Amino acid sequence: MKKQMIKISSLLFVMVAMMLSACDDYLDDVPKGQKIPKTWEDYNAFIRNNFSYHFLDPDQLAVLAGDIFKLPSAVTSPSLTRANYYADESVNRIDLMTGNDKNPYFNAYEGLFAWNLIVEDVPDATECTEVQRRQLIAQGRVLRAMHYFYLANFYADQYDETTKDKLSVPLITSASVEAPSPQVTLQTIYEFMLDDLNKAVEDLPVHSESILHPNRALGYGMLARVYLSMGDYDNALKNASLALEQNDQLFNWIDLYEADKERYDDPKNYTSGVAGNPETDNVENYIYCYGSSTSGWTGLNNTSYAISPERAARFEKGDTRLLTHWKSRVSSSGIPYYAGIYALEMNKGGMRSPEMYYIKAECLARKGGEANIREAMELVNKVRKTRILPEFYQDWTAATTKEAVEKIIRDKESEYIQTQVIYCDYRRLNKDPEYARTFPRTIEGKEYILKSDSHLWIMPFPREAVSNPGNGTITQNVEK
């Protein structure tokens, strides 16, 4: 088995895949401060390394969906952000990609290097029990599936019967620099994710050692997420239910609001400090994963991750998800927006229990029948009761599957604003004429519309990925 190098510091930062060598002779003289991973703990450190491998950045997806507001001065020059912000189908986004625009692709594959290394090499790790070995391999498989799901739903078409034979993303299953990297079909990448998850779930711990380590709730949760994306609602329902059996706890955002009500209610107080940390210390968390490797580190601060008044209007009155994160403000040039007031690194790339409530609810609603629809709305209402202030709360009901699904998605988009979770739902539902919708946004008095069938829903690969595809070839899944 080829040996790999990792760089060790006080926080155990790990060298990226491009620094690896497949040559054993090169490793005969290991440089000072570096080591070859051998023990279980050496490999486990890859998961604990929160600064290198846990970035799944949805920012451009949120910009495209209309979930992020920009001041005109921030989008005057041609850029990927401007193209997505205005839903401009005329520009070539490939030519506009610079710097951080490429992070989603390269950060995800950097993470895949670590998860492949764990799956591939931990069978020979030392200083561990067989239970520890199987557990760590299972955790590597789940993290690998998470990253491939993110990539496939960023750079490829939405999976369905008409698209499953289209190309998706490069599938790399080894940390070796000699590993093949074929660009596989959507069917192949989804089958690969399901295989990893099904092999992993029984070996996952009920309680993980850190918020970065997959647990059994996440294993079932990822199966539910993948099956939902495929339109397999029976299996999505089954696995969402299993995930909730592991953890169905909900964080009470009303309590957070009430604890600092004076600040939240003061229309002139735009401070963004938060008492405690309901991102990392949250009973809902199945796993924590950064949503950004750049500005997301500072949380929601003024114009950073601001939202427009029309996006704010889609929240229910009395929704503490709005009240604790954004506040109405007017820029120095007289432009109204909702400023960020929540200076925490949000768990935008991970998974929380509410997602399972929404998946289970939608799948029940799609089964039809009065009892199923009633149970679906009860699940959504259980989430809403911890979000909507009591003086504004009313139970939601639905008479039909369509009404139920639309209400479920309405609340889900308030819960998962600015994340890939709701973006994936938009893409999935846009394939169904009954639920497809346009995404209008008014910018400086003019309306721009993201169409349900727009090519913009697929992001282009960075040009460097196509020109230097490793041990394979890459074809763009979108023309521009």
Side-chain angles (χ1 to χ4, degrees), residues 1-4 21-30 36:
M1 183 174 294
K2 293 181 175 63
K3 299 176 181 178
Q4 317 293 334
S21 172
C23 177
D24 289 344
D25 292 339
Y26 174 75
L27 293 175
D28 287 343
D29 184 19
V30 179
I36 301 167

Side-chain angles (χ1 to χ4, degrees), residues 85-368:
Y85 190 64
Y86 287 92
D88 188 350
E89 294 187 347
S90 68
V91 300
N92 188 335
R93 293 177 297 166
I94 301 167
D95 294 337
L96 296 174
M97 296 180 75
T98 61
N100 292 333
D101 298 335
K102 304 166 189 178
N103 285 352
Y105 183 88
F106 291 112
N107 284 347
Y109 275 103
E110 185 176 340
L112 281 166
F113 149 72
W115 317 143
N116 281 332
L117 185 66
I118 287 172
V119 175
E120 186 177 35
D121 283 11
V122 168
D124 295 325
T126 61
E127 300 179 24
C128 63
T129 66
E130 184 59 25
V131 170
Q132 286 178 307
R133 191 190 316 279
R134 291 174 64 88
Q135 175 179 298
L136 190 55
I137 293 170
Q139 290 173 326
R141 288 187 184 280
V142 173
L143 289 166
R144 183 163 69 178
M146 284 188 73
H147 280 234
Y148 274 124
F149 184 87
Y150 167 81
L151 287 162
N153 284 278
F154 205 107
Y155 296 105
D157 206 342
Q158 170 62 36
Y159 178 98
D160 66 16
E161 285 300 310
T162 67
T163 63
K164 65 183 183 181
D165 293 327
K166 288 185 176 182
L167 289 175
S168 61
V169 297
L171 177 59
I172 307 171
T173 61
S174 170
S176 169
V177 294
E178 297 174 357
S181 54
Q183 184 180 6
V184 298
T185 65
L186 280 165
Q187 182 71 35
T188 299
I189 202 75
Y190 271 80
E191 287 176 350
F192 181 82
M193 290 186 283
L194 291 174
D195 182 63
D196 254 357
L197 293 167
N198 281 308
K199 286 177 177 175
V201 69
E202 291 301 323
D203 289 326
L204 293 168
V206 173
H207 303 290
S208 53
E209 70 174 79
S210 80
I211 58 173
L212 303 173
H213 284 73
N215 55 27
R216 194 167 298 171
L218 178 66
Y220 289 127
M222 277 304 303
L223 280 165
R225 183 185 282 182
V226 173
Y227 280 123
L228 181 75
S229 184
M230 298 175 75
D232 185 343
Y233 298 114
D234 287 341
N235 275 312
L237 172 60
K238 171 187 172 183
N239 284 283
S241 299
L242 289 168
L244 289 170
E245 287 178 12
Q246 297 292 318
N247 181 5
D248 65 353
Q249 296 184 82
L250 292 168
F251 181 82
N252 196 317
W253 286 97
I254 297 172
D255 289 347
L256 183 82
Y257 167 82
E258 294 290 352
D260 203 5
K261 187 176 187 298
E262 184 177 354
R263 175 173 78 89
Y264 291 128
D265 288 352
D266 183 350
K268 295 182 180 179
N269 187 341
Y270 295 99
T271 57
S272 56
V274 181
N277 192 328
E279 295 302 320
T280 58
D281 302 324
N282 192 318
V283 295
E284 298 175 349
N285 283 347
Y286 290 0
I287 193 170
Y288 179 88
C289 185
Y290 293 115
S292 175
S293 58
T294 52
S295 57
W297 289 59
T298 62
L300 315 179
N301 275 297
N302 194 18
T303 57
S304 177
Y305 297 96
I307 62 175
S308 67
E310 63 184 331
R311 181 62 187 86
R314 281 158 51 189
F315 284 88
E316 286 186 75
K317 190 173 184 179
D319 193 331
T320 55
R321 291 169 294 197
L322 174 64
L323 299 175
T324 59
H325 288 72
W326 294 278
K327 188 176 292 186
S328 179
R329 195 169 193 174
V330 178
S331 73
S332 58
S333 56
I335 299 173
Y337 67 101
Y338 274 68
I341 56 169
Y342 186 83
L344 292 175
E345 302 167 74
M346 295 180 69
N347 186 13
K348 291 183 178 180
M351 180 175 282
R352 299 181 291 111
S353 60
E355 183 179 351
M356 297 302 107
Y357 279 91
Y358 295 119
I359 291 177
K360 183 174 181 178
E362 181 181 344
C363 295
L364 282 169
R366 286 180 177 275
K367 290 173 77 70

Side-chain angles (χ1 to χ4, degrees), residues 439-450:
F439 291 76
R441 68 284 314 266
T442 302
I443 304 172
E444 296 186 276
K446 182 178 179 181
E447 185 178 66
Y448 300 85
I449 296 177
L450 173 63

